[in-house]
Amino acid sequence: MKRVPTYADVKQAARRIDPYITHTHIRTSSRINQMLGCEVFFKCENFQRVGAFKFRGACNAVLALKAEDAARGVVTHSSGNHAQALSLAASIRKIPAYVVMPHNAPDVKKEAVKAYGAEITFCEPTQEARENTAAKIADQTGAVFIHPYDNPDIIAGHATAVRELLYDVPELNTVIVPVGGGGLLSGTALAVKSILETVQVIGVEPEKADDACRSFKEGRLIQPDKTDTAPTIADGLRTSLSELTFEMICDFADDIITVDEKSIIRDMKFIWERMNIIIEPSSAVPFSALFNNLIDVKGKKVGLIITGGNVDLTRLPWHDCSS
């Protein structure tokens, strides 16, 4: 079992990555507040470097490496945002980065990884192919494997986003984030409960990739054989919890719920139109929980992390959606 990060790790991560990250701003919408009967504070990590919160964790993990380990480079597998984040973090430290990506990853993310200077190896869109290919590269190069979420330094780095949010809006009642592999939810829940235990932390997942929700409800880790072709538009949430993230979520999170695909597409489009910001489908998932009245937030102050904005503009999901 991997080391479970503490809030002291989160504070150390915040100091370590501070010179390199963007302290993203918070957006509000009077129209959305009126519609929902609450105040929603959007932490805009779509404006983070590489366009996603993932840079926080990757930056922390790369900078935390000992010099002799870092010199060998880093390797990971990712469909997109973590791949970009690790590539940029490696370039900052001036070390090699090797990235395994499924061949069906969004083109916009493939091009971004190339632009940050990583060496890409494409694989079949299965978890087994990702892991086996990354392990082979690590053996061949000696590079340090940095998992997209099953890593204490990644989790601690991700937690810095909600730490900033709570310092900017200290009176929050609820924090809502999307959940795939659980790196963001586990770090968010750890930080929130460490700062103010009364704040509710809720993860939201697509119905068509609902293993985290089922694991949380049943009290046992469910790890289906997911592939990168899982039938959800939220491609960033197709991964499954690890033992580490599951343990932390069970210890610190309050609930995990699910939303349907039509809601994700509808609410992604709504955010684009109403708030004039580009978000990817995974970022719309927690907002859909609010819009569908799945969480009691009437009269409350709600923090919501917009996790990313890397979208293939040639393949917008509502173009094929009759709703």
Side-chain angles (χ1 to χ4, degrees), residues 48-215:
Q48 185 56 258
R49 297 184 72 176
V50 311
F53 78 98
K54 290 280 189 176
F55 181 63
R56 293 176 180 269
C59 187
N60 187 49
V62 169
L63 294 179
L65 290 174
K66 295 179 180 178
E68 59 269 28
D69 294 327
R72 304 197 304 271
V74 290
V75 60
T76 195
H77 55 75
S78 167
S79 62
N81 286 340
H82 175 69
Q84 296 176 65
L86 193 74
S87 301
L88 176 56
S91 71
I92 289 171
R93 197 160 180 185
K94 297 180 172 56
I95 61 174
Y98 307 93
V99 175
V100 176
M101 300 184 76
H103 60 70
N104 64 345
D107 288 341
V108 64
K109 297 181 179 180
K110 294 177 184 175
E111 292 304 316
V113 172
K114 291 179 184 176
Y116 289 126
E119 181 178 318
I120 302 176
T121 301
F122 294 106
C123 69
E124 291 301 308
T126 67
Q127 190 69 17
E128 182 180 15
R130 283 182 179 220
E131 294 173 353
N132 289 345
T133 306
K136 185 180 298 183
I137 293 172
D139 286 341
Q140 292 171 346
T141 64
V144 178
F145 177 66
I146 297 183
H147 195 279
Y149 53 88
D150 189 32
N151 179 304
D153 293 322
I154 290 285
I155 292 170
H158 291 347
T160 63
V162 79
R163 184 172 184 266
E164 287 178 15
L165 174 60
L166 287 175
Y167 279 118
D168 289 339
V169 191
E171 65 274 20
L172 288 179
N173 304 111
T174 303
V175 174
I176 310 172
V177 300
V179 55
L184 178 62
L185 178 57
S186 56
T188 295
L190 165 65
V192 168
K193 298 301 183 180
S194 298
I195 296 170
L196 189 58
E197 191 174 0
T198 58
V199 177
Q200 187 181 37
V201 180
I202 298 176
V204 190
E205 192 174 36
E207 282 184 354
K208 293 186 176 181
D210 68 343
D211 54 290
C213 180
R214 290 186 288 124
S215 295

Side-chain angles (χ1 to χ4, degrees), residues 192-261:
V192 168
K193 298 301 183 180
S194 298
I195 296 170
L196 189 58
E197 191 174 0
T198 58
V199 177
Q200 187 181 37
V201 180
I202 298 176
V204 190
E205 192 174 36
E207 282 184 354
K208 293 186 176 181
D210 68 343
D211 54 290
C213 180
R214 290 186 288 124
S215 295
F216 187 82
K217 305 293 187 188
E218 296 181 25
R220 64 184 182 90
L221 180 58
I222 298 171
Q223 291 180 308
D225 184 21
K226 283 188 178 179
T227 72
D228 291 290
T229 57
T232 176
I233 190 66
D235 62 285
L237 305 181
R238 290 172 180 159
T239 48
S240 301
L241 300 180
S242 67
E243 290 185 7
L244 174 59
T245 57
F246 176 62
E247 177 185 343
M248 293 182 67
I249 289 167
C250 288
D251 286 345
F252 299 111
D254 293 290
D255 201 3
I256 299 178
I257 58 178
T258 62
V259 293
D260 63 73
E261 293 297 302

